[in-house]
Amino acid sequence: MSARKSVMRSIKNVVNGYSSTQAMVRTATSNDPSGPTTSQMADIANHTYQMSEFHEVMEMIDRRLNDKGKNWRHIAKSLTLLDYLVRYGSDDVVLWAKDNLYIIKTLREFQFSDITGHDQGAIIRVKAKELTGLLKDDERLRQERELARERAND
Amino acid sequence: MFSSTSRTEQDLQASVRKACSGEESAPKRKHVRGCIVYTWDHKASKAFWEAMKLLPIQSDEIQMFKSLIVIHKVLQEGHPSSLVGGYRNIPWIESLGRTFPGDGMKNYGRLIREYVSYIIKKLHFHHDHRGFNGTFEYEEYVSLKVVSDPNEGYEAILDLLGLQDALDDFQRLIFASIHRSKGSECVVSALVPLVAESYGIHKFLVSMLRAMHRSAESDEVLQPLRDRFYDQYRRLYEFYADCSSIRYLTTLITIPKISVNPPNLMIEDSDTNGNGNG
């Protein structure tokens, strides 16, 4: 089933004219139960250092973050990805995230229950809370980015 | 600067309509969020207020009560211009409070009147004291400003205490109305913004009172503020305890935990970043 969906996704990528960078973000934040993997996120982080690609990445994340409740995995994974990019991506990602903090902040009360009544929103509420906390604490953010840079150079 | 979405006015109108539906349930977060995000995208609240005024809420108590919850949420989390827009629309908000005299047909009459009066108090507060955001999230500079001008500080603390009292009165009314099990989710959901707001006000009060105690020459001047604060603290503690017993509420938000004993106001503010609800 998942294979069929990933085929559908690659068709959509072509039909909607998404660039390879955007397709990458879409794969990393898809409705697949697993992921995003660290290598996927690292790949995307590398693409945030060039202006045009940076815009493509952020546009796609923005779209995913504002997705419907049914697609809660899109939102949860986008928060995971954004959290990674804020640490490992370009400075522009931090600027973008601070500028658009309200998009993240307002997800702290996200709600979605699936057909079995299971609360799938909790994971998003927690992730949104953590990311908001990080973005509001300049000192911690600076340390985290420094740490990330050291790790990347190892 | 990098914003790429383009939520249109039509999207906003749909969000407003769906958030303030006539169904006796909590306003859907998804649609409330739509309204909030719109005010940030456009850095303006005019369209939101206009969309609100277009709704036929005067004909239905439940719809009106839900609209007040939505207004409260937008004032709290929306772009700062939402507070300015709210202040300009005070006459309209006041008119909502006059629509259902007595208890109303569905027992929302008093709830609506009290909510209206609370929202108006809040709007006046923000108008008189710029620099506080809608949820009273802690900003260091406000308490610093207060210390530099003790008179202004005294005034601000007094007004914060007044707002907290009004909030307390309103939450009591809500708890008194919850007993009916059907539709209680709608009434309970009004507690969500109140919990966040009361905690924000509380954090400010502690920090400002501590700053005042450090700088004031005599403690006696501050005695009345202190007494009121301690009295309020006891009621706040009970409020959070009551909230913790409602399951629907605890899954949705984290109810702040405050200790049984009130904080010492005479000591230095150790909680430097003070960001308890971040």
Side-chain angles (χ1 to χ4, degrees), chain A residues 4-145:
Chain A
R4 203 189 72 206
K5 279 197 172 170
S6 78
V7 170
M8 278 301 291
R9 193 163 57 242
S10 51
I11 292 172
K12 269 196 207 166
N13 286 340
V14 175
V15 172
N16 291 332
Y18 293 129
S19 70
S20 63
T21 317
Q22 284 176 314
M24 234 155 133
V25 177
R26 277 168 54 79
T27 308
T29 58
S30 71
N31 258 329
D32 255 19
S34 69
T37 63
T38 316
S39 69
Q40 278 175 333
M41 295 196 288
D43 256 358
I44 296 168
N46 285 334
H47 283 272
T48 59
Y49 287 90
Q50 215 216 342
M51 235 341 163
S52 63
E53 288 184 280
F54 160 78
H55 282 297
E56 288 173 7
V57 170
M58 294 333 280
E59 194 197 321
M60 198 48 71
I61 290 181
D62 180 85
R63 216 179 287 178
R64 291 294 213 201
L65 284 174
N66 289 302
D67 217 326
K68 293 189 188 104
K70 192 183 69 171
N71 290 329
W72 58 272
R73 279 202 184 87
H74 287 176
I75 306 173
K77 287 185 176 184
S78 300
L79 285 171
T80 308
L81 175 61
L82 189 55
D83 190 274
Y84 185 94
L85 295 184
V86 160
R87 296 159 202 262
Y88 291 88
S90 70
D91 290 335
D92 290 327
V93 178
V94 179
L95 275 177
W96 184 93
K98 285 192 170 184
D99 248 21
N100 293 285
L101 187 61
Y102 61 94
I103 292 178
I104 303 153
K105 251 175 129 177
T106 44
L107 288 172
R108 290 179 305 182
E109 281 180 38
F110 179 86
Q111 279 174 285
F112 184 74
S113 301
D114 59 19
I115 29 173
T116 60
H118 187 74
D119 175 17
Q120 301 288 12
I123 179 121
I124 290 170
R125 296 198 292 270
V126 171
K127 279 176 190 282
K129 222 176 267 179
E130 276 173 9
L131 187 52
T132 306
L134 177 64
L135 287 167
K136 279 174 139 185
D137 190 340
D138 284 332
E139 182 54 29
R140 204 185 119 208
L141 189 56
R142 199 186 53 78
Q143 284 172 358
E144 295 277 355
R145 283 182 67 78

Side-chain angles (χ1 to χ4, degrees), chain B residues 30-163:
Chain B
K30 169 183 164 185
H31 305 303
V32 177
R33 182 173 181 268
C35 300
I36 294 167
V37 169
Y38 183 93
T39 65
W40 285 99
D41 279 349
H42 298 261
K43 301 193 172 31
S45 69
K46 196 159 180 270
F48 166 74
W49 291 105
E50 273 165 14
M52 283 303 294
K53 286 184 184 173
L54 282 177
L55 289 178
I57 50 177
Q58 266 93 343
S59 58
D60 186 77
E61 288 163 49
I62 291 164
Q63 210 176 351
M64 186 179 286
F65 187 71
K66 277 174 85 167
S67 305
L68 291 170
I69 299 175
V70 174
I71 288 174
H72 195 186
K73 295 294 264 180
V74 171
L75 292 178
Q76 282 191 334
E77 296 177 66
H79 186 264
S81 66
S82 314
L83 287 166
V84 180
Y87 188 78
R88 284 201 195 111
N89 281 297
I90 282 181
W92 174 71
I93 298 171
E94 268 172 339
S95 78
L96 298 181
R98 290 190 297 269
T99 317
F100 299 104
D103 286 340
M105 299 286 282
K106 295 167 183 161
N107 279 318
Y108 278 89
R110 244 191 102 196
L111 282 167
I112 288 170
R113 273 197 304 286
E114 291 297 316
Y115 211 164
V116 164
S117 110
Y118 178 72
I119 286 175
I120 288 172
K121 275 210 181 77
K122 177 180 167 68
L123 286 169
H124 277 293
F125 179 89
H126 287 288
H127 180 77
D128 295 344
H129 306 278
R130 307 294 165 93
F132 290 90
N133 79 7
T135 25
F136 294 90
E137 273 166 315
Y138 192 89
E139 301 279 352
E140 191 85 40
Y141 73 93
V142 180
S143 59
L144 286 176
K145 202 171 82 184
V146 160
V147 191
S148 63
D149 183 355
N151 281 330
E152 198 189 316
Y154 200 93
E155 196 89 348
I157 292 172
L158 213 55
D159 286 351
L160 273 175
L161 286 164
L163 194 64

Side-chain angles (χ1 to χ4, degrees), chain B residues 178-228:
Chain B
I178 288 176
H179 55 267
R180 303 170 307 128
S181 58
K182 186 184 155 286
S184 72
E185 210 183 83
C186 176
V187 182
V188 168
S189 65
L191 291 170
V192 173
L194 291 178
V195 168
E197 193 148 310
S198 63
Y199 192 64
I201 297 174
H202 167 72
K203 292 288 272 186
F204 257 117
L205 277 171
V206 172
S207 160
M208 289 168 104
L209 280 166
R210 278 183 180 156
M212 286 288 272
H213 277 88
R214 263 201 316 279
S215 61
E217 273 126 54
S218 91
D219 275 353
E220 266 165 71
V221 192
L222 299 173
Q223 183 73 39
L225 296 186
R226 223 164 31 230
D227 289 348
R228 257 184 93 182

